[in-house]
Amino acid sequence: MKYILFIVLATFSIRLAAQQKQFSKDDSGKFIYYQVVDSQTVTKDTLLQRAKAFVNVLYKKTMHQESVSDSSVSAKGTTVIDKTILVAGHPSGEVSYQFVCQVRNGKYRFWLTDFTFIPYQRDRYGNFVATTQIGTPLERTPGKLSAGAWKDILNSTYVKIEKLGTEFKKFMATSRVVVPAKKKSETISTKQW
Amino acid sequence: MKKILTAIFAMASASCALAQETTTSPLEISGSVDTYFKYDFAKKPNNITTSFASDHNSVSLGMIDIALKKKTGKASFVGELSFGPRGQSQSIPDAAAGGSSFNIQNLYVNYDFTDQFSMTAGYMGTFIGYEVISPVGNFNYSTSYLFTNGPFQNAGIKATYKFSDKVSLMAGVFNDWNLYSATRGVSAVGGQLMVAPVEGWTAYLNVLSGAGAGGYGTIEDLTTSYQITEKFKLGLNAANYDIDNDGGGYAGAALYPQYAVADGVVLGLRGEYFKYKNVGPVQGLKYTAVTFTANIKSGGLTFIPEVRLDHSGDKPFFKESGAAAPNAGQFSLAAVYAF
């Protein structure tokens, strides 16, 4: 009996370990990270302002706004993925993506799709740079030789995109306050008392 | 009232957002190891005298290479050490007798004054030429005559201005080639113009003038590569080196077409013409070389089978018997792991 129990537990553990998060696919078969968020009482205009600020201010170095309407904003962005060696690592490539956010009163949705990967390689100065300008779609089925490395790229990309999505939701949920002006420190005179 | 609130929100968003920008990167560690087997058809080690892979009929070492990089704010450094035949006496100056003292391939600091302007000072991989010392940076495992006879490293200080993603300009002052410290003062000036006319095509126009191998001279160099389609890439390197007072020099050109035949498998060809310049009545030797190379990649490992055939009417090569020969050939297998 205890052997049967052990086998059942071992099989269950293996299945759990094998379940890593991965991208869903849209109608056209492209990987997509899609979220619908209920913002309760926040107005459409406020949500749109926050979405535009996220793209044009917070992520201005890695995202570029492509279009904006009265209820949506779209942008193209890139994120660098890393290869970790023990406690340190280095960039292994970059993934470009398409970002779209659509807003309504009290609700918004956003998605990231059109992921393409460009590998990095170390140049003569020890810096990691893109080896090509032509990206490879993440949906591509890898050959046997690169299957392991491609799986790592997919996993690293998902982690980065999920983190970006979480940051975006946090940004959209936070109402902004004016940063108070810095107070001058008080100088104490010992001459008069 | 609504406009005032919108304006306040916009300004506050900018303030909060600026506070969230991160400007420090973690320590980056990278490197490579490589090993090779080479068989010279005349059974002579070092029959073809281009850099590295000099042994014959031996499973031999290339190098182990480790690079550190860190950026904090606008300042960064790179330190790169290498050990092994390729990474020591065959590629860097060795101050100690018998070799193996500093083992440094790159050691420099960089400061980004703005997003466009930066300055770098220290000992750096050279900006001249298509091929590099690290086997990770080359498609072919053997090297060209242009690479062998050009500079490997430059110690100096340089400034780079990035006009746009398509154009940048570098200018600097340097020590003599391939030396940790100058023997004739900081006596070389160099510059590089980078242009990227269309997506996938990058060209570098380089010039270095001053103390180098053989004396004072000037190198003009064109290095360019074009990823024409997803599968086909074409590279070109052309250089001319004149040593002052008719002291010689060299000129040459090499073409590098590469084609991806399958996922992880690329076939390439290097065709090179190289000529040493005449020195007085002494005629410079001329070489042509054709190299067929495959890169078979799996993760960080690249397996490189290669066949190379060189020709020179001046007969600088050797037959198995020891007699002078106009032709030389070699077959090699190399394994390079980049991490």
Side-chain angles (χ1 to χ4, degrees), chain B residues 63-81:
Chain B
M63 68 181 188
I64 177 167
D65 181 71
I66 298 172
L68 303 175
K69 178 183 174 179
K70 184 160 175 71
K71 185 165 188 175
T72 305
K74 297 187 175 191
S76 60
F77 85 89
V78 169
E80 183 183 349
L81 301 175

Side-chain angles (χ1 to χ4, degrees), chain B residues 17-138:
Chain B
L18 285 168
Q20 291 173 26
E21 280 187 33
T22 176
T23 55
T24 300
S25 68
L27 180 67
E28 292 178 15
I29 300 177
S30 61
S32 67
V33 296
D34 66 293
T35 182
Y36 71 95
F37 170 84
K38 192 194 85 183
Y39 191 92
D40 184 86
F41 299 150
K43 300 180 184 173
K44 297 286 183 198
N46 224 13
N47 200 4
I48 294 173
T49 54
T50 52
S51 298
F52 318 134
S54 50
D55 295 346
H56 158 69
N57 198 15
S58 165
V59 178
S60 296
L61 304 178
M63 68 181 188
I64 177 167
D65 181 71
I66 298 172
L68 303 175
K69 178 183 174 179
K70 184 160 175 71
K71 185 165 188 175
T72 305
K74 297 187 175 191
S76 60
F77 85 89
V78 169
E80 183 183 349
L81 301 175
S82 57
F83 302 87
R86 185 175 182 131
Q88 290 176 225
S89 58
Q90 291 182 5
S91 68
I92 55 177
D94 284 319
S100 317
S101 64
F102 292 133
N103 302 354
I104 291 173
Q105 296 282 355
N106 274 288
L107 197 162
Y108 66 82
V109 293
N110 182 78
Y111 192 83
D112 296 330
F113 286 88
T114 67
D115 286 345
Q116 288 80 32
F117 181 69
S118 64
M119 292 192 73
T120 310
Y123 187 77
M124 299 160 265
T126 187
F127 56 95
I128 299 285
Y130 190 93
E131 296 180 12
V132 296
I133 294 167
S134 169
V136 177
N138 297 331

Side-chain angles (χ1 to χ4, degrees), chain B residues 198-285:
Chain B
V198 298
E199 193 180 8
W201 185 10
T202 310
Y204 300 89
L205 293 158
N206 304 309
V207 65
L208 179 64
S209 184
Y216 281 85
T218 301
I219 300 176
E220 297 104 3
D221 172 87
L222 166 67
T223 294
T224 181
S225 70
Y226 189 11
Q227 186 78 47
I228 301 172
T229 68
E230 192 185 338
K231 291 179 186 289
F232 183 62
K233 177 178 172 182
L234 185 64
L236 169 72
N237 182 211
N240 179 73
Y241 177 42
D242 288 305
I243 298 174
D244 292 353
N245 304 316
D246 293 323
Y250 62 79
L255 202 60
Y256 301 82
Q258 292 159 19
Y259 189 81
V261 295
D263 184 38
V265 182
V266 181
L267 300 182
L269 184 73
R270 177 181 58 208
E272 183 183 14
Y273 172 77
F274 181 88
K275 183 188 182 313
Y276 287 106
K277 296 197 173 180
N278 302 340
V279 181
V282 179
Q283 294 287 309
L285 300 181

Side-chain angles (χ1 to χ4, degrees), chain A residues 66-140:
Chain A
E66 286 189 321
S67 67
V68 64
S69 70
D70 61 351
S71 62
S72 71
V73 60
S74 71
K76 205 163 172 63
T78 54
T79 185
V80 175
I81 58 173
D82 301 311
K83 183 186 233 179
T84 303
I85 303 157
L86 297 175
V87 294
H90 59 76
S92 64
E94 65 180 42
V95 174
S96 64
Y97 55 83
Q98 192 70 31
F99 169 86
V100 180
C101 177
Q102 293 178 344
V103 299
R104 289 178 184 169
N105 283 322
K107 197 176 186 180
Y108 68 93
R109 65 175 181 167
F110 71 96
W111 63 90
L112 295 101
T113 188
D114 270 343
F115 301 108
T116 57
F117 174 73
I118 291 177
Y120 280 5
Q121 186 173 289
R122 211 179 68 196
D123 68 10
R124 61 187 70 197
Y125 311 119
N127 299 310
F128 279 86
V129 296
T131 58
T132 175
Q133 298 291 319
I134 301 176
T136 303
L138 284 192
E139 296 81 15
R140 187 206 73 165

